[in-house]
Amino acid sequence: MTRTACITTPIYYVNDRPHIGHIFTTTLCDAWARAMRLQNCDVFFLTGTDEHGVKVEKSAAEHNVTPQAWADTNAAEFERILPLFQISNTDFIRTTQPRHERQVQEFIQRLQKSGALYKGSFEGWYDEGQEEYLTETRAKECEYKSAVNGKPLVRAQEQNWYFKLSAFSDRLKAHFESHPHFVQPSARMNEVVGRLREGLQDVPMTRTNFTWGIPMPGDPGHVIYVWIDALFNYITALDYTDASPKNPRAHYWPADWHVIGKEILWFHAVIWPAMLMALELPPPTKIHAHSFWISEGKKMSKSLGNFIDLPTIEKYIARYGLDAWRWFMLTRGPIDATDADFRASAFHETYTADLVNTVGNCSSRVTAMIAKTFNGQMPDDIERGGAWPARCQQAVADWQKHFANFQLADAAEDAMKLLRDVDLFINQTEPFKLAKDPAQRERVASILAQCLESVRIASLLLEAFLPQKMAEFAALLGVSGDTSWDVRSRWGALKPGCPVTKVALYPRVESDKS
RNA sequence: GCCGUCGUAGCUCAACCGGUUAGAGCGGAGCACUCAUAAUGCUCAGGUUGGCGGUUCGAGUCCGCCCGUCGGCACCA
């Protein structure tokens, strides 16, 4: 029986344009999904778009189109760009799809039956121009005036459906205690636990001031709040209103990882698990909340206009290649608790140091020596690998452990270390010198065979990060994607005599000193 | 304001429960080598581990205070 794995990105709000943040999150998930697939896992990798809410309704009106048309256009853009980054998602869910809307209504009805919902009145500071409520702190910040038109905020009230979040306080606390790694990184876990200690308030889950959303079952005029609607995507994509074994997707839940940005942690770590508890469904296994990119030392913001947007990203890919882009995202990105800086100079240095000088050069020197010394054929290793099989096995084990813990950059480093060891080994054993002595031919054959086999295994470990060139390299060596993990991850997949040509995987790129 | 991060070599970061001369990568300097994409390997960083005080046989690692940074505080990846 094959293992299953499930990973999700947040669904992206269609009022936004795709930028480095979306692509970063999605790429993280993609690398993990690819790593699991390499290991023969049956992977469900979900992404999609969040399309309801007052902001979409307003933007649509400004553009003189229907909300659905506006959502269609923008959702299409999010979906269109996935192949540009070789994202290997297995589904793309949109919250305006019938499958989602139908199931959300059913889940809401179940929540109602469970007694987790009640109708109460909501009072708050209301911006009449923007037609939205502001939080108490936000209202204070704006001195109780609209940030947009300067008119005073009004005290407004409306009837809403509430989710009884407070009732789940103890169960949530118990879950956090028994699952100390539920939220990663640990700094984020601390934040959630700390806030949980302060007590929970029930959350409004419907609105009446707009209509672009999923109607509240049995209460016309009430629309399900976008966030509640959106969270359900993780299980509506699995048709999880039917959790029985007859549903071919049901076994993917609970998801191994919800990968999110830190700003939406509370919803995923607290509200979402509580709703699932109310529905008597299992919570997600783990949540990884990454941090943000900043740009050349400055926070990205709409007002500064320094977002790393799609055209900027496409320029990098045109210049350095997709692998380089993914490599920088995955190894230098804000995957943990601190923000990371996107600098053009750092991008260039990372590409040169890692992909050109290490991956590219090491594979090049090894294949070149074999091509020259052994007529382009994998030589026979009478030493049976020497110390290398164990060394490679260790790298594979470390890599697996790091991926299991969502430590992607560390997993990449496992492969890089292996390559650096190969470089070192070549300098120490000097096969290029020994090759001049016919008496040393067997020794040279063993050294080079060991090098190539180690490089091959390193490239396997890099394939989730660098899908383009590593797949190409594997194919060149005749050990490509349809070969099983057991064969590929073990020593000895390259047989003596198989053809080897000199490779040049990552060309040097001149830095543009302006 | 409340809660929470982080503050270690020029840069990016390591260091499990406190325990020998605090470690890598990148950049820089020198040397070696020539199979390779002017690549690679070796050597070189005398860092008061933000500051002050405390606990301890012993603290980067625990406690207190201070300084600085960043984040969350309900809908911006």
Side-chain angles (χ1 to χ4, degrees):
Chain A
M1 193 173 145
T2 51
R3 283 184 299 154
T4 64
C6 178
I7 189 163
T8 69
T9 75
I11 46 175
Y12 302 119
Y13 203 52
V14 287
N15 229 32
D16 210 352
R17 307 286 292 175
H19 57 67
I20 190 171
H22 307 107
I23 290 157
F24 174 61
T25 312
T26 309
T27 304
L28 287 178
C29 292
D30 183 70
W32 190 86
R34 284 174 183 274
M36 292 306 118
R37 267 189 220 109
L38 270 181
Q39 298 173 75
N40 304 330
C41 272
D42 171 15
V43 177
F44 191 82
F45 167 18
L46 179 67
T47 186
T49 44
D50 179 12
E51 310 187 5
H52 290 125
V54 66
K55 285 180 186 165
V56 172
E57 193 175 77
K58 267 189 227 163
S59 296
E62 282 163 19
H63 291 82
N64 278 316
V65 294
T66 64
Q68 186 65 63
W70 178 248
D72 285 346
T73 307
N74 290 0
E77 179 69 357
F78 277 97
E79 198 164 3
R80 178 187 75 81
I81 66 166
L82 296 174
L84 302 181
F85 299 92
Q86 294 200 354
I87 301 303
S88 62
N89 59 304
T90 40
D91 197 356
F92 187 94
I93 190 164
R94 302 179 52 190
T95 57
T96 54
Q97 286 168 336
R99 60 168 172 166
H100 178 76
E101 298 190 341
R102 176 178 51 76
Q103 291 185 86
V104 167
Q105 289 196 319
E106 176 160 349
F107 282 125
I108 295 293
Q109 280 171 323
R110 288 190 201 173
L111 282 175
Q112 257 174 331
K113 274 188 205 137
S114 79
L117 306 186
Y118 64 92
K119 211 167 182 180
S121 69
F122 173 86
E123 192 186 312
W125 292 104
Y126 190 68
D127 181 334
E128 289 177 306
Q130 292 298 101
E131 295 176 32
E132 63 186 15
Y133 284 91
L134 277 72
T135 63
E136 191 60 39
T137 44
R138 178 74 186 137
K140 201 172 180 179
E141 253 175 50
C142 305
E143 298 171 328
Y144 304 98
K145 283 177 200 156
S146 169
V148 178
N149 59 22
K151 288 184 185 164
L153 301 175
V154 298
R155 205 63 193 161
Q157 202 180 35
E158 66 179 57
Q159 285 286 112
N160 279 132
W161 285 92
Y162 277 79
F163 172 61
K164 226 183 259 183
L165 181 63
S166 58
F168 295 89
S169 183
D170 290 342
R171 285 178 68 181
L172 286 166
K173 281 178 188 164
H175 188 258
F176 284 124
E177 269 173 38
S178 57
H179 300 79
H181 302 294
F182 180 56
V183 173
Q184 286 196 359
S186 57
R188 297 269 102 85
M189 181 72 168
N190 292 344
E191 263 175 34
V192 173
V193 171
R195 202 168 146 196
L196 209 52
R197 261 199 305 271
E198 293 170 9
L200 291 174
Q201 287 176 4
D202 294 342
V203 290
M205 51 161 298
T206 62
R207 278 288 138 92
T208 54
N209 63 328
F210 66 96
T211 59
W212 181 237
I214 301 177
M216 181 68 185
D219 197 350
H222 287 260
V223 167
I224 296 163
Y225 200 26
V226 276
W227 256 109
I228 303 295
D229 162 4
L231 285 167
F232 278 109
N233 91 86
Y234 299 125
I235 55 176
T236 60
L238 300 173
D239 300 320
Y240 208 59
T241 44
D242 173 14
S244 75
K246 277 184 296 181
N247 172 3
R249 286 184 165 187
H251 66 286
Y252 290 114
W253 190 259
D256 294 274
W257 291 103
H258 282 328
V259 180
I260 59 170
K262 61 187 176 183
E263 83 290 356
I264 54 177
L265 178 59
W266 186 248
F267 294 96
H268 285 81
V270 175
I271 297 175
W272 175 229
M275 288 201 296
L276 289 165
M277 284 172 183
L279 291 164
E280 293 176 12
L281 297 174
T285 306
K286 284 186 182 180
I287 297 167
H288 185 95
H290 67 246
S291 302
F292 294 156
W293 283 101
I294 60 175
S295 172
E296 301 290 346
K298 284 184 192 147
K299 196 168 180 169
M300 280 191 258
S301 75
K302 277 165 195 159
S303 50
L304 280 174
N306 63 344
F307 262 90
I308 309 284
D309 57 11
L310 196 56
T312 307
I313 294 166
E314 286 179 313
K315 275 182 212 154
Y316 276 94
I317 293 177
R319 189 173 168 82
Y320 294 94
L322 176 62
D323 280 358
W325 172 263
R326 289 174 58 107
W327 184 253
F328 192 67
M329 291 290 102
L330 295 167
T331 63
R332 307 301 149 103
I335 190 162
D336 287 321
T338 48
D339 292 350
D341 196 3
F342 189 98
R343 284 180 189 274
S345 60
F347 189 103
H348 183 84
E349 282 167 22
T350 300
Y351 174 72
T352 303
D354 293 350
L355 300 191
V356 179
N357 293 352
T358 305
V359 181
N361 184 61
C362 187
S363 54
S364 172
R365 69 195 300 208
V366 171
T367 52
M369 278 189 276
I370 290 175
K372 197 161 132 190
T373 315
F374 294 97
N375 266 330
Q377 290 190 322
M378 177 70 172
D380 195 7
D381 174 17
I382 56 161
E383 297 173 5
R384 300 276 162 256
W388 286 101
R391 173 68 186 84
C392 290
Q393 203 177 11
Q394 184 61 47
V396 171
D398 291 345
W399 179 92
Q400 285 179 308
K401 194 176 157 196
H402 284 135
F403 260 108
N405 294 324
F406 213 75
Q407 295 168 309
L408 273 51
D410 297 298
E413 183 59 20
D414 294 328
M416 297 302 280
K417 274 200 199 110
L418 184 55
L419 290 174
R420 280 186 220 114
D421 283 353
V422 171
D423 272 331
L424 177 56
F425 182 64
I426 294 171
N427 280 35
Q428 284 171 343
T429 55
E430 302 185 311
F432 44 87
K433 270 188 188 167
L434 301 182
K436 290 168 188 160
D437 178 1
Q440 296 282 359
R441 192 161 174 84
E442 282 191 344
R443 174 64 178 142
V444 174
S446 293
I447 292 170
L448 294 182
Q450 287 164 24
C451 287
L452 187 58
E453 184 63 356
S454 300
V455 170
R456 182 192 65 77
I457 289 174
S459 74
L460 170 69
L461 303 185
L462 291 171
E463 202 170 298
F465 302 89
L466 310 166
Q468 281 190 331
K469 296 293 182 171
M470 292 304 103
E472 191 182 307
F473 185 50
L476 261 169
L477 294 175
V479 189
S480 53
D482 45 2
T483 312
S484 81
W485 167 255
D486 284 348
V487 172
R488 296 187 77 187
S489 65
R490 274 199 209 123
W491 188 263
L494 282 181
K495 300 300 177 202
C498 79
V500 177
T501 51
K502 181 183 166 177
V503 296
L505 297 171
Y506 296 104
R508 196 160 295 278
V509 172
E510 292 307 310
S511 67
D512 62 339
K513 291 260 163 58
S514 46

